[in-house]
């Protein structure tokens, strides 16, 4: 009654448990998920999953689907006849997709894709950039590129017998057939974080988020509930309140998972929020997880295994293990593993969490000294392409250039650069605007209205980036407005006049006019000009001797 049995149906591996009754639920799992899609192809799996279930999802929900980072999961419910019918129809569709309703469903899914992602999902982009798990917060922008031919090829590559596992909560029904095409198993890619110093912070639109990468062990599975409990105690100690608490775990590859937790935030919490966040994970890493917390979590897990539904969960866990290229465990082995939980390995997971900590903070929350903000730093210019002047020149001396290797926006002696081989997607608008998205999640924007011969920049970017990375975007409202000639002249004069050369020249002219006025007998004018010359001279002296802070650099007097 507790054992997971194994069989094969049409080349599909099947795990099932004998519950003493016919099967009433079937789970068809595929080793392919959202983290497998490159940015320019994001949304293709979601389109296929949605189209495969058209006219099959009803109010009674006899069949449903969902996609996680690493898996696509279809589930059918009912008696043996219903399961046989639903899985057979699903398998036939996946083998020969009917895409006649693709345009309609693409529009519906794109509208849904722009809904806000949960806080854990948003944190993945700050950790992994615009690839792997980090792609999931980009609103499935690649769906617009999906054609019938591309989706059919993707369906056959993903939804094949070798890449699937079936889980049943009873014996396989007589006559059950899953007519999937032959194919190959799809190994899980390694999730590669962006190289940066951690712990660190980033700005999030809502609430507090703490996340970290841990090794996928049995003990690490207890960390979400531990983190949520520690957050509750830590935030109450700092602000007297903690509400809207949440925690979760997301597997990102076969070896690692991201554990995350957070809470909602009221204004009174903001001043000490960053400090409180650091202390929560630091205390767990330094002092270890309270043993009573671990024991309570173990007891809760053991009680869950007493439910009859735990037998089916055991079969599902076996399927997840096989798709992760691990050895499945029996029910008895799972029980033994939980009973023999090693608290020191939970401590080790907490230490991994703190060492890789990323903290999402609201804009109004001050940073903490132990949490530098994640940035995409400027660099020295390295491009050799023709420089396009800003349309507000000479008020704005910024230039934009593209060559065979790099695109960069140059301001003064520093630039925002992006190596073209690092580009994972080019977002393209019909008005010529282009956004380059790099592997690390950095974005370089090019608005053609900002630049002299801006249309040439659009053509150059389109030619420099492979066509399959181009992603068409919906029309947008244009907000950029160039300065008038008067505004440009005034701004340019103000900028030049505030330099050493400009101040020296202005001082000389004013002093000469003052002398000329005094010689000509215009005493009042001469005195006024002398006072003005003295003020300019004082400002020039402060510029030369006082070494004022340049815009954008850290203020050494700031506390």
């Amino acid at each position: 009654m507790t054992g997971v049995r194994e069989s094969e149906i049409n080349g599909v591996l099947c795990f099932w448990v004998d519950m003493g009754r016919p099967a009433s639920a079937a789970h068809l799992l595929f080793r392919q998920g959202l983290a497998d899609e490159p940015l320019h192809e994001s949304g293709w799996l979601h389109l296929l999953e949605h189209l495969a279930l058209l006219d099959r999802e009803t109010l009674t929900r006899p069949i449903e689907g969902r996609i996680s980072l690493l898996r696509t999961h279809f589930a059918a419910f009912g008696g043996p006849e219903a399961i046989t019918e639903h899985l057979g129809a699903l398998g036939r569709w996946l083998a020969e997709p009917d895409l006649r309703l693709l345009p309609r469903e693409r529009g519906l899914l794109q509208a849904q894709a722009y809904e806000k992602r949960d806080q854990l999902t948003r944190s993945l982009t700050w950790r992994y950039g615009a690839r792997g798990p980090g792609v999931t917060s980009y609103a499935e922008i690649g769906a617009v590129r999906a054609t019938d031919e591309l989706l059919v090829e993707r369906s056959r590559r993903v939804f094949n017998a070798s890449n699937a596992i079936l889980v049943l909560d009873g014996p396989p029904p007589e006559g059950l057939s899953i007519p999937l095409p032959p194919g190959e198993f799809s190994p899980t890619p390694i999730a590669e974080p962006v190289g940066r110093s951690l712990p660190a912070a980033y700005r999030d639109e809502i609430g507090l988020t703490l996340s970290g990468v841990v090794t996928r062990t049995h003990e690490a599975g207890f960390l979400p509930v531990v983190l949520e409990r520690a957050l509750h105690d830590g935030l109450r100690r700092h602000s007297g309140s903690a509400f809207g608490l949440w925690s979760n775990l997301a597997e990102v590859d076969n070896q690692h998972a991201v554990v995350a937790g957070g809470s909602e935030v009221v204004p009174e919490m903001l001043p000490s929020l960053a400090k409180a966040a650091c202390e929560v994970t630091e205390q767990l890493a330094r002092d270890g997880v309270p043993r009573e917390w671990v024991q309570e979590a173990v007891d809760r897990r053991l009680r869950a295994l007493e439910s009859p539904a735990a037998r089916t969960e055991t079969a599902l866990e076996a399927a997840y293990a096989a798709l992760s290229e691990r050895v499945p465990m029996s029910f008895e082995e799972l029980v033994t593993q939980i009973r023999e939980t090693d608290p020191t390995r939970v401590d080790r997971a907490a230490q991994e969490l703190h060492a890789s900590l990323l903290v999402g903070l609201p804009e109004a929350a001050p940073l903490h000294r132990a949490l530098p903000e994640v940035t995409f730093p400027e660099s020295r210019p390295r491009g050799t392409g023709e420089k396009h002047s800003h349309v507000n020149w000479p008020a704005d001396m910024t230039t934009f250039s593209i060559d065979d290797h790099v695109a960069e926006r140059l301001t003064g002696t520093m630039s925002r650069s992006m190596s073209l081989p690092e580009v994972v997607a080019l977002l393209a608008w019909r008005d010529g605007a282009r956004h380059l998205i790099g592997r690390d999640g950095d974005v370089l924007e090019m608005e053609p209205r900002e630049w002299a011969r801006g249309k040439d920049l659009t053509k150059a970017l389109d030619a420099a980036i492979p066509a399959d990375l181009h992603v068409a975007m919906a029309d947008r409202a244009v907000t950029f407005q160039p300065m008038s000639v008067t505004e440009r002249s005034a701004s340019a004069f103000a900028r030049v006049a505030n330099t050493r050369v400009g101040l020296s020249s202005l001082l000389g002219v004013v002093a000469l006019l003052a002398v000329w006025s005094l010689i000509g007998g215009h005493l009042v004018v001469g005195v006024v000009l002398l006072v003005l010359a003295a003020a300019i001279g004082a400002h020039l002296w402060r510029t030369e001797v006082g070494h004022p802070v340049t815009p954008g650099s850290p203020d050494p007097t700031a506390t």
Side-chain angles (χ1 to χ4, degrees):
M1 291 290 291
T2 59
V4 177
R5 308 190 185 187
E6 181 178 328
S7 61
E8 186 177 293
I9 300 173
N10 300 119
V12 176
L13 178 62
C14 176
F15 292 138
W16 60 279
V17 291
D18 188 352
M19 304 285 288
R21 56 165 174 75
S24 61
H27 303 267
L28 186 58
L29 311 175
F30 294 91
R31 216 313 296 153
Q32 192 87 356
L34 300 174
D36 293 272
E37 295 185 312
L39 184 56
H40 63 289
E41 297 175 2
S42 59
W44 292 14
L45 269 180
H46 196 182
L47 277 172
L48 286 168
E49 176 261 336
H50 203 268
L51 288 164
L53 298 180
L54 282 181
D55 301 324
R56 291 190 236 282
E57 287 186 310
T58 67
L59 291 177
T60 58
R61 299 192 68 80
I63 188 167
E64 59 188 31
R66 64 178 182 269
I67 307 176
S68 63
L69 287 176
L70 303 181
R71 293 184 291 268
T72 301
H73 186 159
F74 295 101
F77 304 95
E81 297 80 9
I83 288 175
T84 299
E85 177 187 348
H86 294 316
L87 288 183
L90 177 63
R92 287 188 292 274
W93 192 96
L94 294 174
E96 296 292 338
D98 179 358
L99 303 175
R100 287 174 294 179
L101 295 179
L102 173 59
R104 188 193 76 176
E105 296 307 310
R106 176 162 42 206
L108 291 174
L109 290 183
Q110 282 186 289
Q112 295 175 10
Y114 280 95
E115 298 175 357
K116 289 183 179 179
R117 296 295 193 268
D118 64 78
Q119 289 164 266
L120 188 156
T121 299
R122 291 200 301 274
S123 76
L124 295 176
T125 299
W126 292 98
R127 186 176 300 278
Y128 294 101
R131 56 181 176 170
V135 168
T136 53
S137 65
Y138 279 90
E140 299 182 343
I141 59 175
V144 70
R145 295 186 55 255
T147 63
D148 288 11
E149 295 77 11
L150 291 172
L151 287 181
V152 168
E153 189 278 332
R154 181 58 49 85
S155 183
R156 291 172 177 167
R157 174 149 56 94
V158 173
F159 302 127
N160 66 72
S162 298
N163 204 40
I165 295 180
L166 176 65
V167 176
L168 297 168
D169 67 344
E174 185 177 351
L176 176 61
S177 175
I178 308 176
L180 295 174
E184 296 181 354
F185 177 73
S186 177
T188 305
I190 297 174
E192 299 180 8
V194 175
R196 58 168 56 101
S197 179
L198 297 174
Y202 61 93
R203 295 300 182 179
D204 201 3
E205 47 198 59
I206 49 174
L208 168 71
T209 302
L210 283 72
S211 69
V213 178
V214 299
T215 303
R216 276 178 63 178
T217 62
H218 154 67
E219 286 80 6
F222 292 108
L223 208 52
V225 67
V226 167
L227 177 59
E228 186 171 335
R229 191 164 178 175
L231 268 171
H232 175 272
D233 293 353
L235 294 182
R236 286 185 64 86
R237 183 167 57 251
H238 274 268
S239 63
S241 64
F243 69 103
L245 291 163
W246 62 271
S247 62
N248 207 343
L249 179 147
E251 298 167 350
V252 294
D253 61 26
N254 287 346
Q255 303 298 325
H256 302 94
V258 170
V259 172
S263 76
E264 297 183 31
V265 174
V266 294
E268 293 75 17
M269 297 170 63
L270 293 173
S272 61
L273 190 61
K275 180 181 179 182
C278 282
E279 289 181 356
V280 165
T281 59
E282 184 179 12
Q283 183 174 355
L284 288 174
R286 181 187 64 243
D287 302 336
V289 178
R291 294 302 182 251
E292 62 272 19
W293 293 11
V294 176
Q295 190 57 51
E296 288 176 14
V298 167
D299 293 342
R300 193 179 305 118
R301 192 80 60 88
L302 287 172
R303 285 195 299 271
L305 289 178
E306 296 173 359
S307 165
R311 274 48 175 178
T312 305
E313 291 298 321
T314 303
L316 279 169
E317 288 295 332
Y320 299 153
L323 291 175
S324 298
E325 302 179 70
R326 293 181 285 119
V327 178
M329 299 178 68
S330 68
F331 179 82
E332 291 76 11
E333 288 171 330
L334 284 173
V335 171
T336 300
Q337 183 185 61
I338 295 172
R339 285 176 175 164
E340 295 179 353
T341 296
D342 184 353
T344 62
R345 298 189 70 180
V346 183
D347 293 343
R348 198 171 306 143
Q351 292 164 2
E352 289 182 307
L353 169 67
H354 180 67
S356 58
L357 182 66
L358 268 177
V359 180
L361 294 170
E363 204 59 57
L367 293 173
H368 186 259
R369 63 180 181 276
L371 286 176
E373 188 168 1
V374 174
T375 59
F376 298 98
E378 295 183 337
S379 60
R380 293 292 181 183
R382 50 197 177 103
T384 59
E386 178 186 4
K387 291 179 171 55
H388 291 245
S389 300
H390 200 278
V391 295
N392 289 333
W393 183 92
D396 191 330
M397 303 295 287
T398 307
T399 63
F400 200 104
S401 66
I402 306 166
D403 60 23
D404 293 338
H405 306 287
V406 68
E408 67 180 6
R409 181 184 179 118
L410 176 63
T411 304
T413 60
M414 301 300 289
S415 71
R416 285 292 311 280
S417 302
M418 184 166 294
S419 174
L420 299 183
E422 293 292 308
V423 173
V424 295
L426 173 69
L427 308 190
W429 283 265
R430 289 196 303 172
D431 62 10
R434 299 292 184 264
H435 289 183
L436 298 170
I437 301 180
R439 294 178 187 271
D440 60 357
D442 195 7
V443 179
L444 182 63
E445 302 178 3
M446 195 287 293
E447 166 60 70
R449 291 173 179 80
E450 286 191 56
W451 310 102
R453 306 186 317 283
K455 292 182 178 179
D456 293 342
L457 283 173
T458 298
K459 293 178 181 177
L461 284 173
D462 288 348
I465 305 301
D468 62 345
L469 298 183
H470 295 197
V471 178
M473 303 298 291
D475 291 343
R476 66 199 179 115
V478 177
T479 58
F480 175 76
Q481 295 294 332
M483 291 181 177
S484 66
V485 174
T486 303
E487 290 173 323
R488 289 161 58 188
S489 301
S491 180
F493 175 78
R495 188 185 68 254
V496 172
N498 202 37
T499 63
R500 179 176 61 83
V501 174
L503 288 171
S504 299
S505 301
L506 189 60
L507 176 61
V509 170
V510 173
L512 183 61
L513 289 175
V515 172
W516 178 81
S517 298
L518 292 172
I519 292 175
H522 304 287
L523 296 179
V524 175
V525 175
V527 170
V528 170
L529 289 173
L530 282 176
V531 172
L532 179 59
I536 295 172
H539 186 56
L540 176 62
W541 182 84
R542 285 196 300 271
T543 301
E544 289 296 293
V545 178
H547 303 296
V549 177
T550 57
S553 65
D555 185 351
T557 65
T559 57

